[in-house]
Amino acid sequence: MDDVTPYIILSSILFTIGCVGVLTRRNAIVVFMCVELMLNACNLALVAFAKQHGNLDGQVAAFFVMVVAAAEVVVGLAIIMTIFRTRRSASVDDASLLKY
Amino acid sequence: MYLLSDAGHVPVVAPTGADGIYSLMWLVVALPLLGSAVLLLGGRFTDRWGHLLGTAMPIGSFVISLLMFVDLLGRDEADRQVGQHLYDWIDVGSLHIGMDLLYDPLSALFLLLITGVGSLIHVYSIGYMAHDPRRRRFFGYLNLFVAAMLMLILAENYLGLFLGWEGVGLASYLLIGFWQHKPSAAAAAKKAFVMNRVGDIGLALAIALMFVTFGTTSFSGVSALAGGASENTLTAIGLLLLLGACGKSAQVPLQAWLLDAMEGPTPVSALIHAATMVTAGVYLVVRSNFIFELAPHAQTVVVIVATVTLLWGAVLGCAKDDIKKVLAGSTMSQIGYMMLGAGLGTAGYAFAIFHLLTHGFFKANMFLGAGSVMHGMNDDVDMRRYGAVRHAMPVTFLTFAMGYLAIIGFPGFSGFWSKDKIIETALAENWLVGVLALLGAGVTGFYMTRLMLLTFFTEKRWKDDVHPHESPGVMTFPLIVLAALSVLSGVLLLGDWIVDWLSPVVGHAEHHEPPIPALAVTGLAVLVVAVGVAIAWFLVGKREVALTPPEDVSFVTRAARRDLYGDDINDTLVVRPGGALTRALVRLDSSGVDGVMAGGPAQVAGIAGFLRRAQNGFVRTYALSLLGGVLLVVLALLAVNLT
């Protein structure tokens, strides 16, 4: 058994960076990238745990996450593009009309 | 065959089947019902001949009734009950009620009275309502009334009686309010209807109690089983029946509607509110003799109610200036006499019915006479503006005089025989009641003489634009027939015929000897009446009659003019507390019940209004709350797993 602790720590750091980024940044592109960062941190954790347990389940799951992330990027970027075209801004705080 | 002979009373005989002329019994009810259906559903197409059809129907019923009566006369006393089963009416569980008719000596007399007087009043109405645009509808309602009244009389069980009872109530309501454009008529109709409902609740409860106690509502069934019931139950049934009778017959305490009911056309007052419908209460008590005989307390209450009413009505009659209201007060008083007879038990039933018949004749006669006078006086009802009408209307005057002599009990006239018998019986049973009845006779003499003097004698007081004239023949013919009956119907008492005739229904009574001989009672009654007449002569006939009622009158007169505060009592005891109660309930409903029902949702809406602030539209806020939630779940899991 390999020690996967460093990978998990790295995954945690990446996830935290992504999380803080989502919560603090206003630029939609940056928020998006932070989301990707979190997804990849998860992937790293999945792969690391798969390595630790010696089966492929986690690796398969990582592939699925990648596929979903790719699809999400397509849709998300399209939305961001449209918002930018109409509002001349990519700030997530500007798009706050859907509320009480 | 006597079903209940051990009680010593109430020999209700098992009726024989209806054959021969009796197979037409159902037609007696069906003919007027058909007439009213045709007239009310036929609409304007029947306008031209509607009144003729409406008059023909009760005459047809009268002919059948007369044929049946003649046949019944020829039968043995034991055979004089004929039943006809029409169809099963209600057949649910243990409740079996058939649409049964019963023709016996009691219903025979009522049938003749209702169809006979009813036919005469229909004829009279042809003339009286000649210029009314809604005459056809009037005849439709009258026929409806006759049908319902005959149903009431012919029914063999209390439920059938109740059907007729409600039917006459409806017809009475429709006819009192016939001139519905007058607010006073509409209000009077409503008042009569509501007060009758109070009584009807009593009757309905009595029927329900009978069904619970005996499992049947037929007269034969109840009379056969009545001996087995406890006295308290029978007293309760008796009192509830009396409540029903009070409502329909305008007895104290449900008397206030009758005087207002005079807002209806005069033929209605004559037929419904004098001769027939208001006597239904007396019929009910006499018909239920098997219950009252076994419930002496209820019987005592009947006597008390009757005595109070006969004086109450008489006092009202003394103070009114409206000719119809005087007659209405007198009706109330005379029904009090009938009730008194009915309350005196076996000794009095036959005399109650006897007085009911004679009263039906002479009171219908006088009401129609009053209508004839009004007809000639431009529909004025105030007697203070009459006077000396006898010259202008000789036929009306003479026929009215016959009724007058009959009601005050002038020797030889019908009312003399019938009222005298009731007073005599009352004296034999209880001297106080008897003396009060005697006093009532004196007051009757007073107010009827006053009416007579104000209307037909004294000097002329009508205005110059009024031209009194005799009514047409179609109106005077019924007057003449009724006047003849008012004079002659005393023959029913010849050889105690009516007592023997009714004995299969109400039983034979052993004769109580009155404390003073019967002849002395008669003499006393005549004397008291003479005093009443004399007082009226000195107070009214010898004095100048003012056109407006004098104001400086005694407390008693003021009270009598206000119906002895009958309306005020009702207002204070029922109407105002009822109004206050409903208002309180409305308030409770709008603030209490509605508050509870609307308060919960309002609270939820308030909380939601506060919570929705969380939906501020900033994506990053949502992300933060998501994160917070996840952290919470993770911490919870850790906490669970670590312990």
Side-chain angles (χ1 to χ4, degrees):
Chain A
M1 284 293 164
D2 298 304
D3 183 16
V4 294
T5 312
Y7 299 102
I8 300 301
I9 291 171
L10 176 62
S11 165
S12 305
I13 291 168
L14 287 175
F15 189 88
T16 309
I17 293 169
C19 199
V20 171
V22 167
L23 291 178
T24 53
R25 300 305 293 263
R26 292 207 177 95
N27 191 319
I29 302 288
V30 178
V31 170
F32 216 67
M33 284 161 58
C34 290
V35 171
E36 294 302 315
L37 202 56
M38 285 195 289
L39 285 171
N40 282 316
C42 291
N43 278 349
L44 186 57
L46 283 170
V47 174
F49 284 124
K51 175 96 174 142
Q52 187 188 18
H53 292 295
N55 63 19
L56 293 176
D57 290 359
Q59 305 204 6
V60 171
F63 278 118
F64 276 100
V65 172
M66 280 180 211
V67 171
V68 170
E72 183 218 326
V73 167
V74 172
V75 177
L77 279 178
I79 293 173
I80 291 168
M81 284 294 293
T82 319
I83 289 177
F84 186 77
R85 276 192 190 152
T86 53
R87 297 182 164 266
R88 293 280 131 203
S89 150
S91 166
V92 288
D93 283 3
D94 285 349
S96 66
L97 284 179
L98 193 64
K99 60 182 176 185
Y100 55 83
Chain B
M1 183 182 77
Y2 291 91
L3 292 172
L4 190 74
S5 48
D6 53 338
H9 303 284
V10 280
V12 166
V13 183
T16 55
D19 47 5
I21 181 68
Y22 300 107
S23 54
L24 295 178
M25 197 191 297
W26 64 278
L27 270 179
V28 174
V29 182
L31 280 178
L33 196 62
L34 177 75
S36 87
V38 169
L39 292 182
L40 294 178
L41 300 178
R44 280 181 291 126
F45 302 107
T46 57
D47 269 352
R48 284 166 52 90
W49 42 268
H51 53 284
L52 299 177
L53 177 83
T55 311
M57 289 305 176
I59 292 177
S61 293
F62 175 67
V63 170
I64 298 173
S65 308
L66 198 61
L67 291 175
M68 292 201 297
F69 179 68
V70 169
D71 191 275
L72 203 66
L73 275 176
R75 289 193 170 204
D76 280 347
E77 190 171 302
D79 286 344
R80 284 186 185 151
Q81 317 244 353
V82 187
Q84 186 177 32
H85 178 74
L86 298 182
Y87 55 89
D88 290 332
W89 184 16
I90 297 174
D91 198 3
V92 185
S94 59
L95 184 66
H96 307 287
I97 294 169
M99 188 53 92
D100 290 312
L101 303 182
L102 172 70
Y103 187 74
D104 66 358
L106 180 60
S107 37
L109 292 179
F110 264 93
L111 240 54
L112 286 178
L113 173 75
I114 295 159
T115 55
V117 175
S119 302
L120 287 171
I121 289 173
H122 275 74
V123 171
Y124 177 92
S125 306
I126 294 178
Y128 190 82
M129 302 297 281
H131 304 298
D132 196 296
R134 293 159 75 230
R135 177 167 69 166
R136 180 222 3 123
R137 185 184 291 262
F138 179 79
F139 276 87
Y141 291 157
L142 270 192
N143 273 7
L144 177 67
F145 166 76
V146 172
M149 189 71 204
L150 292 171
M151 182 68 224
L152 196 165
I153 298 303
L154 275 177
E156 202 279 324
N157 52 52
Y158 280 98
L159 211 62
L161 181 147
F162 191 65
L163 180 70
W165 191 272
E166 293 298 310
V168 293
L170 168 69
S172 157
Y173 167 77
L174 292 171
L175 285 166
I176 295 171
F178 185 72
W179 287 322
Q180 57 204 198
H181 53 271
K182 283 199 294 185
S184 58
K190 199 164 67 180
K191 184 173 177 184
F193 198 73
V194 170
M195 295 200 77
N196 267 295
R197 289 285 79 63
V198 178
D200 294 351
I201 289 170
L203 181 57
L205 287 177
I207 294 171
L209 195 53
M210 271 182 230
F211 183 73
V212 169
T213 316
F214 307 118
T216 174
T217 62
S218 75
F219 296 143
S220 54
V222 173
S223 67
L225 298 169
S230 75
E231 196 186 318
N232 286 340
T233 314
L234 290 169
T235 306
I237 294 176
L239 289 177
L240 288 168
L241 287 175
L242 176 66
L243 180 64
C246 281
K248 199 57 85 195
S249 294
Q251 304 289 293
V252 177
L254 296 177
Q255 85 291 353
W257 65 272
L258 187 63
L259 262 67
D260 289 347
M262 296 303 125
E263 287 290 340
T266 309
V268 173
S269 310
L271 178 60
I272 301 185
H273 305 117
T276 56
M277 185 191 85
V278 286
T279 58
V282 182
Y283 171 78
L284 183 68
V285 174
V286 174
R287 179 58 89 187
S288 311
N289 59 63
F290 38 81
I291 288 170
F292 284 99
E293 283 302 316
L294 299 174
H297 294 304
Q299 232 170 6
T300 310
V301 179
V302 174
V303 170
I304 293 169
V305 164
T307 313
V308 171
T309 309
L310 78 87
L311 291 173
W312 187 294
V315 171
L316 293 194
C318 294
K320 294 288 173 184
D321 291 326
D322 178 333
I323 185 170
K324 284 179 75 182
K325 291 203 169 171
V326 175
L327 289 174
S330 141
T331 302
M332 195 188 286
S333 164
Q334 298 302 312
I335 296 171
Y337 277 105
M338 299 170 209
M339 273 290 184
L340 177 59
L344 292 173
T346 320
Y349 292 133
F351 300 132
I353 299 299
F354 181 37
H355 193 54
L356 195 157
L357 293 174
T358 57
H359 172 259
F361 297 138
F362 62 66
K363 187 53 68 62
N365 173 21
M366 283 192 287
F367 258 115
L368 294 185
S372 178
V373 172
M374 286 158 56
H375 201 66
M377 304 291 280
N378 293 359
D379 288 327
D380 194 351
V381 291
D382 191 347
M383 293 191 297
R384 291 186 184 275
R385 293 197 288 270
Y386 289 171
V389 179
R390 69 179 187 281
H391 302 300
M393 302 182 173
V395 180
T396 305
F397 164 63
L398 283 175
T399 52
F400 200 103
M402 297 303 122
Y404 161 73
L405 291 174
I407 193 176
I408 64 168
F410 192 80
F413 286 70
S414 60
F416 166 73
W417 304 108
S418 54
K419 199 188 289 180
D420 186 53
K421 276 292 175 191
I422 291 179
I423 293 174
E424 197 183 296
T425 317
L427 269 176
E429 295 282 333
N430 183 321
W431 67 268
L432 179 63
V433 173
V435 167
L436 289 176
L438 208 55
L439 181 69
V443 183
T444 308
F446 171 77
Y447 68 73
M448 285 314 297
T449 309
R450 174 172 174 270
L451 184 153
M452 206 61 193
L453 291 172
L454 283 177
T455 306
F456 293 104
F457 294 93
T458 59
E459 76 289 3
K460 126 182 177 359
R461 292 184 302 276
W462 65 76
K463 296 202 187 74
D464 289 335
D465 57 339
V466 180
H467 304 288
H469 53 86
E470 187 56 86
S471 301
V474 75
M475 286 168 70
T476 48
F477 165 71
L479 287 176
I480 294 165
V481 176
L482 285 169
L485 286 168
S486 312
V487 180
L488 299 175
S489 55
V491 298
L492 292 178
L493 197 66
L494 269 185
D496 274 350
W497 177 83
I498 193 161
V499 178
D500 293 335
W501 174 255
L502 286 174
S503 65
V505 183
V506 298
H508 253 308
E510 69 282 21
H511 218 65
H512 278 281
E513 270 315 304
I516 45 178
L519 209 61
V521 176
T522 309
L524 207 58
V526 172
L527 190 71
V528 170
V529 170
V531 169
V533 171
I535 294 175
W537 171 249
F538 284 114
L539 286 185
V540 182
K542 301 276 272 183
R543 290 191 193 172
E544 190 89 351
V545 180
L547 274 177
T548 48
E551 291 299 326
D552 53 336
V553 288
S554 69
F555 166 75
V556 183
T557 316
R558 260 201 300 278
R561 278 186 190 161
R562 294 203 57 170
D563 300 348
L564 291 179
Y565 302 112
D567 285 341
D568 304 76
I569 292 169
N570 288 345
D571 280 350
T572 315
L573 288 185
V574 181
V575 178
R576 256 180 245 130
L581 180 66
T582 44
R583 275 192 294 280
L585 285 177
V586 166
R587 215 174 302 129
L588 180 69
D589 183 58
S590 55
S591 56
V593 178
D594 286 4
V596 171
M597 297 311 292
Q603 288 301 313
V604 172
I607 294 169
F610 172 70
L611 286 181
R612 70 179 183 176
R613 297 277 155 197
Q615 300 284 328
N616 55 9
F618 292 111
V619 177
R620 294 183 300 137
T621 317
Y622 302 157
L624 184 62
S625 48
L626 199 67
L627 182 71
V630 169
L631 283 178
L632 219 62
V633 171
V634 170
L635 285 176
L637 281 176
L638 283 177
V640 171
N641 283 351
L642 289 181
T643 50

